Amino acid sequence: MMTRDVLLDMEQEEDDDEDGDIGDVPACNRPFLRAPTLPSGLVLENFDQMVLSSFGTLESQQDLRSPQFEEFNGKPDSLFFNDGQRRIDFVLVYEDESRKETNKKAYNEKQRKKRQAYESNLIHDGLELEATRSVLDDRLVFVKVHAPWEVLCTYAELMHIKLPLKPNDLKTRSSAFGNFAWFSKVLQVDESIIKPEQEFFTAPFEKNRMNDFYIRDKDTFFNAATRSRIVYFILSRIKYQVRENVKKFGINKLVSSGIYKAAFPLHDCKFSCPSDDFSCPNERHLLYMEWAHPRSIYKKQPLDLIRKYYGEKIGIYFAWLGYYTQMLVLAAVVGLACFLYGYVNRNNCTWSKEVCDPNIGGNIIMCPQCDNLCPFWKLNITCESSQKLCIFDSFGTLVFAVFMGIWVTLFLEFWKRRQAELEYEWDTVELQQEEQPRPEYEARCTHVVINEITQEEERVPFTTWGKCIRAVLCASAVLFWILLIIASVIGIIVYRLSVFIVFSAKLPKTFNGTDPIQKYLTPQTATSITASLISFVIIMILNIIYEKVAIMITNFELPRTQTDYENSLTMKMFLFQFVNYYSSCFYIAFFKGKFVGYPGEPVYWLGKYRNEECDPGGCLFELTTQLTIIMGGKAILNNIQEVLLPWVKNLIGRCRTVSGSEKISPRWEQDYHLQLMGRLGLFYEYLEMIIQFGFVTLFVASFPLAPLLALVNNILEIRVDAWKMTTQYRRIVPEKAQDIGAWQPIMQGIAILAVVTNAMIIAFTSDMIPRLVYYWSFSVPPYGNHTYYTMEGYINNTLSIFNVADFKNRSKGNPYSGLGDHITCRYRDFRYPPGHPQEYKHNIYYWHVIAAKLAFIIVMEHIIYSVKFFLSYAIPDVSKITKSKIKREKYLTQKLLHENHLKDMTKNLGVIAESIIGATDTSLRPKVE
């Protein structure tokens, strides 16, 4: 007898089928992956050969099977069916249609038929189901799913899952800090609490070689994460309906359409205390106490246990985040030292003293910075900002920028080595060969093409022409949203230009030294802070919108595997976030104050707005303010969201069920009331850290404290993420991952770009080069009057003179208001004074500075790039020890399998030979007689 999948050919519906969502495909074209045998020994029918239009009404189906209902046995921490033998590998939750408080009876009946058909097909495919009604809400039903041994073996072979062959005595971990074992022991997790995992040689599982694998106990051979992964693979590919020759399939479709309310694997116990059940491993409690608890904030992460409980994908993320945080310690120490160097030497800043000196800065009258209502102003009102700028615009900044260019290379190269070690230890070296196509991709494979390699027919979702059309449409959509972000940045620039006029008119024009507010609130500072805050709000709003758009575009692209899907989404999201977060910083660093002309001929933006000017000390401090607000605000907002949102949602959920709180609820019901992380939850964690990585590297020359802020944030981020996963979220479906995916080349691209941005910040945004040129060339003859190298007179030398009578429209901007009648004023530029044969043209100082800036950029870039490429070449991606271990394991694995195979063949040949000899003796015996 051959089994049949129960499919329903239903009438035209108006629910989840109109949107053409995943799980829809003509039945004759559906290329499902199926296991070759069933646990019961029955052969599955191939879906390509099964074209069933109808099985009649639900009542006429003789092979419809439903899960058996059982009452809750009162064991809140039990992970087994009521018989105590079969482990719960997955839980499905639905609301009983007969008890729904709604008038949509026909709709509810359709939902019930689909669910019953799906559950029946699960049973036909070998899974075992047991249903239990909720103890807190009798409308909810929990369907517990168990995969028997035969099903696990069948699908483990289909999914090419690597499983233990024999214990491995090669994997010894040696520490480079053996002399500091006493110190590292304090940071390590106590091995008596979390015991190290036993290491094995592994190989892809094969049922016909089952005796070769290290099977001591069938109940523990497949760990909980592997069991859940196998069951989820099955749930994602089981059909539940055929309508108009189109099949519907997959648990994701059922959950999104509301037929099931949730589907998740179980946590193994409460996080706050160990389970009383002796069969419970209490891994969740161990993770909470040794990983997520605040008291463990100084300890290293138990990566092996994280990988065992949540899967390799979660494990590799926390391994990367932990390694990134460790490397930030060195960058933070050096950055703090450079900051302290600038802070200690701020009083030795000669040019700042001249700005604050009433006899120098107090007597220098600056030209109006706008055309409307902007008065003349005295230079010494920027005294406070110039003193702060001395902290950041110092020689230590140059040293730190060079150091960070080398640091980022060391981080990336050593991470590659660490990643290779994890690939070996976690058996993901050949993961790409075993990754299965996404069910959404399989569902659309309706076109037949010839594979260039195998020369065999295979199904693809669309033709080459269709693929090109999709690529063009997706690229156009991404470009449109990037242009939208650029438009928002232009809006912020217009705001800056407009509001600066208002602040210039309203804020005090003179500096009396007694008003504390006046010291800090200059027109430039007020404009910068308010524009940064508005920019931050716009960034967060656009993030929310574009996340949904990027997912829609990626779904339309239809990548083949989950890794391809996430890589495609990663590139789109990062490209957007890069423009969104960094565009305002790039504007301040490289465009503001660079193209302003001079008071007699100012440059107008869009023909209407006069371009912004920087403070006399440059735009570096404004860039520092922008980075502080965006980076700090983003970190604070993200941590508040990550902590408060899931906690508040879970609190509301508990309050709704407070009437039944005195009842003992089972493990599956406790987990149901937790929050769903979602399959892209980890993606957003990566994105948050990579954006931070960009702030730490791209603009670090203007903010040496960025690595320190990132370090503090990451220490909290690791524990907050751990706390969320262990206490607030349902257990995630474990997934395999070989590396951090597309984030690696993104970081490499940021590292290369960071060298250019930091060199240009020092050259064009800070005043370090003009000061050096003045010190070495223009403070002494033939250009200067001093007999020794000095910074005295720098401010007077770098501010050009303008004749007020040369204003083209003297009534425009009322230039005589504010400080009385003036003949000349000063402005930030290197131009000849009025009356000179080349008045208002760039002077010799300007060309010296330009040459010095270009030379500095070329020298700095070549030095850092040379060091980077040398380090990349000198540090191999995979250590020699790891390469040897991989080769040794592959050799021993092949040898073991080959020897076992030879033994089996020898044994079989011996049996055959004995049979032949016995038959020969029997045939010859009568002749002898």
Side-chain angles (χ1 to χ4, degrees):
M1 172 182 176
M2 301 192 66
T3 60
R4 293 191 305 168
D5 291 308
V6 182
L7 304 176
L8 303 178
D9 186 12
M10 298 181 181
E11 61 273 16
Q12 182 70 30
E13 302 176 18
E14 297 179 356
D15 46 13
D16 61 352
D17 302 324
E18 294 180 352
D19 55 2
D21 203 353
I22 61 170
D24 306 351
V25 67
C28 58
N29 293 328
R30 177 70 177 96
F32 273 84
L33 292 173
R34 301 307 303 268
T37 58
L38 268 176
S40 59
L42 301 176
V43 181
L44 283 174
E45 293 176 301
N46 190 297
F47 276 74
D48 297 334
Q49 300 171 357
M50 185 189 302
V51 185
L52 302 174
S53 59
S54 177
F55 281 96
T57 62
L58 190 63
E59 291 77 6
S60 66
Q61 296 169 7
Q62 300 298 325
D63 53 358
L64 182 64
R65 302 172 65 182
S66 300
Q68 183 178 358
F69 271 81
E70 297 286 349
E71 294 293 331
F72 172 49
N73 58 10
K75 298 179 180 180
D77 290 332
S78 176
L79 303 176
F80 296 87
F81 283 14
N82 274 13
D83 58 14
Q85 302 295 323
R86 292 173 292 175
R87 182 183 179 88
I88 302 173
D89 298 318
F90 227 86
V91 175
L92 310 178
V93 187
Y94 69 89
E95 188 174 356
D96 193 344
E97 293 83 359
S98 63
R99 304 193 182 189
K100 285 184 178 180
E101 298 177 0
T102 179
N103 297 325
K104 300 180 179 179
K105 292 184 178 180
Y107 175 78
N108 291 338
E109 181 63 18
K110 294 174 184 177
Q111 301 287 77
R112 183 182 66 83
K113 287 181 179 181
K114 294 178 184 178
R115 177 180 52 76
Q116 288 183 335
Y118 181 75
E119 292 174 359
S120 180
N121 287 337
L122 291 178
I123 296 174
H124 280 303
D125 270 20
L127 297 180
E128 298 176 2
L129 309 183
E130 181 182 272
T132 300
R133 198 169 292 277
S134 170
V135 298
L136 301 178
D137 184 356
D138 60 1
R139 294 175 299 176
L140 294 179
V141 177
F142 294 86
V143 179
K144 295 161 283 183
V145 182
H146 169 75
W149 171 257
E150 288 294 332
V151 171
L152 293 173
C153 292
T154 298
Y155 280 91
E157 181 176 3
L158 177 67
M159 298 168 65
H160 307 289
I161 295 177
K162 286 187 174 182
L163 292 168
L165 283 172
K166 61 177 293 186
N168 183 359
D169 55 357
L170 296 178
K171 294 187 179 181
T172 57
R173 300 180 183 178
S174 59
S175 174
F177 305 97
N179 296 329
F180 301 94
W182 60 271
F183 179 72
S184 62
K185 188 175 181 180
V186 176
L187 304 178
Q188 295 286 352
V189 177
D190 191 349
E191 292 187 358
S192 63
I193 299 176
I194 299 180
K195 297 180 180 180
E197 292 291 321
Q198 185 178 6
E199 304 291 350
F200 292 93
F201 292 123
T202 61
F205 185 77
E206 296 180 30
K207 289 183 68 176
N208 59 358
R209 290 188 172 185
M210 192 177 298
N211 293 332
D212 297 337
F213 289 86
Y214 191 79
I215 304 176
R216 291 295 179 266
D217 184 355
K218 290 184 178 181
D219 293 333
T220 59
F221 180 65
F222 295 97
N223 61 32
T226 303
R227 297 176 68 99
S228 299
R229 190 157 67 96
I230 292 174
V231 172
Y232 181 75
F233 181 87
I234 300 172
L235 295 176
S236 300
R237 287 159 172 78
I238 293 296
K239 307 180 301 299
Y240 60 87
Q241 178 191 0
V242 170
R243 182 177 62 81
E244 296 180 357
N245 203 32
V246 173
K247 292 182 180 179
K248 307 288 180 177
F249 69 96
I251 188 62
N252 295 330
K253 176 76 171 179
L254 292 169
V255 172
S256 63
S257 61
I259 297 176
Y260 285 102
K261 298 180 72 67
F264 53 89
L266 287 178
H267 283 296
D268 64 356
C269 66
K270 293 181 179 179
F271 68 86
S272 56
C273 59
S275 173
D276 296 331
D277 190 345
F278 69 92
S279 63
C280 178
N282 292 314
E283 292 176 347
R284 184 189 187 193
H285 173 68
L286 292 176
L287 286 172
Y288 174 72
M289 298 303 297
E290 301 298 325
W291 180 42
H293 199 279
R295 73 180 186 186
S296 301
I297 194 170
Y298 65 92
K299 290 185 178 181
K300 292 185 177 180
Q301 303 179 83
L303 293 177
D304 287 336
L305 184 59
I306 297 171
R307 170 247 183 172
K308 179 183 177 183
Y309 193 77
Y310 289 112
E312 286 77 7
K313 192 170 186 179
I314 298 293
I316 198 72
Y317 163 73
F318 281 104
W320 172 80
L321 181 56
Y323 196 83
Y324 171 44
T325 304
Q326 291 177 18
M327 290 293 291
L328 276 175
V329 174
L330 178 61
V333 170
V334 177
L336 181 61
C338 293
F339 173 80
L340 293 177
Y341 171 83
Y343 183 81
V344 170
N345 291 280
R346 71 189 188 283
N347 294 327
N348 299 327
C349 191
T350 305
W351 66 271
S352 178
K353 291 180 180 179
E354 292 183 350
V355 171
C356 298
D357 191 340
N359 297 323
I360 301 178
N363 291 328
I364 295 179
I365 306 301
M366 302 297 293
C367 297
Q369 292 184 314
C370 63
D371 293 334
N372 297 313
L373 304 178
C374 288
F376 295 100
W377 52 284
K378 290 185 177 181
L379 179 62
N380 66 341
I381 69 170
T382 63
C383 173
E384 192 69 25
S385 62
S386 68
Q387 290 177 345
K388 293 178 182 178
L389 185 60
C390 288
I391 301 175
F392 299 99
D393 194 1
S394 64
F395 179 73
T397 301
L398 172 61
V399 175
F400 188 56
V402 175
F403 167 80
M404 287 300 294
I406 300 173
W407 173 89
V408 70
T409 303
L410 293 174
F411 163 63
L412 293 176
E413 293 303 318
F414 282 119
W415 165 247
K416 290 178 184 178
R417 293 167 64 90
R418 175 60 177 149
Q419 188 171 255
E421 293 176 2
L422 292 175
E423 288 179 16
Y424 168 70
E425 294 170 5
W426 292 354
D427 294 319
T428 59
V429 176
E430 299 176 351
L431 177 64
Q432 293 180 353
Q433 300 177 7
E434 57 185 84
E435 189 171 11
Q436 301 293 336
R438 299 166 62 238
E440 296 87 345
Y441 178 88
E442 290 181 310
R444 304 295 185 184
C445 290
T446 58
H447 298 278
V448 179
V449 297
I450 303 299
N451 189 295
E452 295 180 356
I453 299 174
T454 63
Q455 293 299 311
E456 296 178 355
E457 289 187 354
E458 65 177 11
R459 294 185 182 273
V460 294
F462 30 73
T463 61
T464 303
W465 178 245
K467 187 175 182 179
C468 292
I469 293 177
R470 285 174 179 258
V472 171
L473 292 176
C474 293
S476 301
V478 172
L479 180 62
F480 168 78
W481 278 92
I482 291 177
L483 293 176
L484 183 63
I485 302 171
I486 295 175
S488 69
V489 174
I490 294 175
I492 294 296
I493 296 174
V494 172
Y495 167 82
R496 286 174 174 272
L497 300 175
S498 303
V499 80
F500 179 77
I501 300 174
V502 178
F503 284 131
S504 298
K506 299 297 182 183
L507 294 177
K509 285 80 176 175
T510 59
F511 175 62
N512 54 32
T514 59
D515 189 353
I517 298 179
Q518 184 184 354
K519 290 174 61 180
Y520 300 98
L521 198 60
T522 63
Q524 293 87 350
T525 304
T527 302
S528 175
I529 293 177
T530 55
S532 298
L533 291 173
I534 294 174
S535 176
F536 173 70
V537 173
I538 293 177
I539 285 172
M540 301 310 294
I541 293 174
L542 289 176
N543 277 349
I544 297 173
I545 299 174
Y546 185 75
E547 283 177 6
K548 302 181 183 300
V549 175
I551 292 174
M552 292 173 58
I553 296 173
T554 309
N555 288 338
F556 181 72
E557 279 185 0
L558 203 63
R560 181 177 180 273
T561 64
Q562 185 64 24
T563 299
D564 295 337
Y565 180 89
E566 293 181 0
N567 289 345
S568 177
L569 182 61
T570 295
M571 297 306 297
K572 293 181 183 62
M573 284 296 295
F574 178 76
L575 186 61
F576 170 83
Q577 299 278 13
F578 184 89
V579 179
N580 198 15
Y581 277 105
Y582 303 142
S583 54
S584 58
C585 296
F586 273 98
Y587 165 72
I588 295 174
F590 306 124
F591 295 98
K592 183 180 177 182
K594 303 298 186 295
F595 312 99
V596 296
Y598 64 97
E601 292 186 7
V603 176
Y604 289 89
W605 193 74
L606 298 179
K608 180 179 180 182
Y609 299 99
R610 180 172 167 176
N611 278 357
E612 286 186 282
E613 297 182 30
C614 296
D615 280 339
C619 287
L620 188 69
F621 185 69
E622 185 174 351
L623 178 60
T624 304
T625 303
Q626 178 82 0
L627 286 171
T628 305
I629 291 177
I630 294 181
M631 188 175 176
K634 181 177 180 295
I636 294 172
L637 182 61
N638 285 338
N639 283 315
I640 290 176
Q641 286 180 335
E642 291 180 4
V643 173
L644 289 184
L645 284 183
W647 182 78
V648 170
K649 290 179 179 178
N650 287 332
L651 181 63
I652 294 174
R654 288 193 295 268
C655 291
R656 290 178 177 176
T657 58
V658 69
S659 59
S661 60
E662 67 277 0
K663 298 180 181 179
I664 298 176
S665 57
R667 172 84 270 135
W668 49 85
E669 191 150 1
Q670 297 174 40
D671 285 4
Y672 170 70
H673 291 293
L674 298 177
Q675 295 302 305
L676 173 66
M677 182 174 181
R679 300 197 69 184
L680 293 177
L682 197 62
F683 168 82
Y684 297 117
E685 301 293 342
Y686 270 119
L687 184 61
E688 177 186 351
M689 288 296 102
I690 296 299
I691 293 298
Q692 180 205 89
F693 179 78
F695 281 122
V696 168
T697 54
L698 289 175
F699 306 101
V700 75
S702 66
F703 191 35
L705 291 180
L708 179 61
L709 294 183
L711 174 64
V712 174
N713 176 77
N714 288 6
I715 292 174
L716 297 176
E717 181 76 20
I718 291 174
R719 306 304 163 176
V720 167
D721 289 346
W723 175 80
K724 286 189 308 181
M725 290 189 179
T726 54
T727 66
Q728 303 301 309
Y729 285 151
R730 298 170 190 160
R731 190 172 183 174
I732 304 166
V733 179
E735 294 183 59
K736 283 276 188 179
Q738 187 177 23
D739 47 39
I740 62 174
W743 301 113
Q744 182 78 25
I746 286 176
M747 286 193 297
Q748 291 173 340
I750 291 176
I752 294 174
L753 181 61
V755 177
V756 180
T757 57
N758 285 302
M760 293 182 68
I761 286 173
I762 294 175
F764 293 105
T765 308
S766 78
D767 262 9
M768 183 177 297
I769 303 300
R771 289 199 299 269
L772 290 175
V773 171
Y774 176 81
Y775 182 83
W776 292 107
S777 297
F778 284 81
S779 63
V780 294
Y783 301 108
N785 300 322
H786 298 280
T787 58
Y788 55 90
Y789 297 109
T790 180
M791 286 300 296
E792 294 179 4
Y794 170 76
I795 289 297
N796 186 64
N797 191 270
T798 55
L799 292 178
S800 299
I801 302 174
F802 180 75
N803 190 344
V804 174
D806 291 335
F807 275 118
K808 289 188 176 182
N809 186 354
R810 295 183 53 154
S811 63
K812 193 174 184 179
N814 192 13
Y816 296 104
S817 67
L819 294 176
D821 196 3
H822 302 285
I823 300 175
T824 61
C825 61
R826 309 294 290 271
Y827 62 98
R828 175 184 166 84
D829 207 344
F830 306 110
R831 295 177 183 269
Y832 288 112
H836 192 277
Q838 300 183 34
E839 64 175 4
Y840 303 135
K841 300 292 184 180
H842 287 119
N843 57 24
I844 189 64
Y845 192 178
Y846 172 83
W847 299 111
H848 275 71
V849 169
I850 290 295
K853 287 181 177 181
L854 295 177
F856 171 80
I857 292 175
I858 293 173
V859 172
M860 180 177 174
E861 286 183 354
H862 278 68
I863 291 176
I864 297 179
Y865 280 139
S866 299
V867 175
K868 284 170 66 69
F869 292 144
F870 172 77
L871 292 175
S872 300
Y873 176 78
I875 303 174
D877 293 347
V878 183
S879 66
K880 185 177 180 181
I881 296 177
T882 303
K883 285 182 179 178
S884 299
K885 287 181 179 180
I886 293 173
K887 292 178 181 179
R888 177 69 175 167
E889 179 177 359
K890 184 177 293 187
Y891 166 75
L892 292 178
T893 301
Q894 292 176 350
K895 182 180 177 181
L896 178 64
L897 292 176
H898 181 66
E899 288 177 351
N900 290 339
H901 183 59
L902 286 179
K903 289 179 182 178
D904 292 340
M905 289 183 63
T906 303
K907 183 178 179 181
N908 293 334
L909 288 175
V911 173
I912 294 173
E914 291 177 359
S915 301
I916 293 174
I917 293 173
T920 304
D921 290 343
T922 303
S923 62
L924 294 177
R925 191 173 297 125
K927 295 182 180 180
V928 174
E929 293 176 352

